Amino acid sequence: MTNKDVTKVKRKGTFKSAPLPEPVLTTEPLKGDELVKVAVAALEDVKGQDIQVIDVREKQSITDYMIIATGTSNRQIGAMLDKVREAVKALGVKPLGEEGKGDSDWVLLDMDDVIVHMMTASARQFYDLERLWSGAEQSRALNAAHHSPENTHEHFVKLNKDQQ
């Protein structure tokens, strides 16, 4: 088509191009450890601070890993969310959901096997997810020992004497 032909074509109205087809993946989308590596690299790329990965496979069945990262401002947290989302989508992972967008101090990206928490320092200190998830196994073990038959409490001893 020459330039003369192009000038003859008149279009009325606004035309939107058709959406591009989704790329067909020949391999399985990333899962588990590989997804964690991609997400951590994306967080590091936008200067996420104090990035911690917690393996929660033995503690609950919702997800396998939780990544917690600190951002210096709500704007940086938004950039962290965008970067992780773009990085995983480029590799064929479709996030299940996002929570806390906008001016929130805590943003969450759920990718099924991996959940990424991006927070301000004050929100991270307040909610203290590391202690919650890392300490869960220890507190269960302590509670189990505390309630074992070998460890009888005074009120149970008194109750047993009263019943006799």
Side-chain angles (χ1 to χ4, degrees), residues 8-164:
K8 291 180 187 176
V9 177
K10 292 186 178 182
R11 294 185 179 173
K12 293 183 180 178
T14 305
F15 292 93
K16 293 184 179 178
S17 61
L20 295 173
E22 294 282 327
V24 178
L25 296 175
T26 56
T27 61
E28 288 281 321
L30 295 179
K31 294 226 178 242
D33 294 334
E34 296 156 353
L35 189 55
V36 167
K37 289 176 187 174
V38 170
V40 168
L43 290 168
E44 288 173 344
D45 194 41
V46 288
K47 309 292 188 238
Q49 300 173 353
D50 193 18
I51 301 168
Q52 292 193 2
V53 178
I54 302 173
D55 184 347
V56 293
R57 289 178 285 193
E58 300 296 323
K59 298 173 184 161
Q60 51 79 39
S61 61
I62 297 170
T63 190
D64 292 341
Y65 296 96
M66 288 195 188
I67 301 173
I68 304 170
T70 301
T72 56
S73 66
N74 295 351
R75 177 173 265 184
Q76 184 188 14
I77 291 172
M80 291 163 60
L81 173 67
D82 292 341
K83 187 68 174 185
V84 174
R85 185 186 328 111
E86 290 169 11
V88 299
K89 277 188 176 181
L91 297 171
V93 176
K94 190 172 185 177
L96 298 178
E98 301 172 3
E99 294 294 329
K101 299 179 207 171
D103 289 337
S104 181
D105 288 348
W106 181 0
V107 176
L108 178 139
L109 181 63
D110 184 354
M111 298 177 290
D112 193 25
D113 290 343
V114 178
I115 296 177
V116 183
H117 300 271
M118 296 156 275
M119 319 168 109
T120 60
S122 59
R124 188 167 179 176
Q125 182 179 6
F126 180 78
Y127 292 106
D128 200 9
L129 294 178
E130 293 92 339
R131 186 178 58 79
L132 176 71
W133 287 106
S134 297
E137 189 173 274
Q138 294 171 345
S139 66
R140 277 194 209 142
L142 289 174
N143 284 339
H146 181 69
H147 294 291
S148 67
E150 297 84 30
N151 188 3
T152 53
H153 298 283
E154 290 180 22
H155 64 277
F156 288 124
V157 172
K158 184 177 188 267
L159 180 64
N160 288 340
K161 284 183 183 177
D162 290 343
Q163 291 177 354
Q164 291 175 352

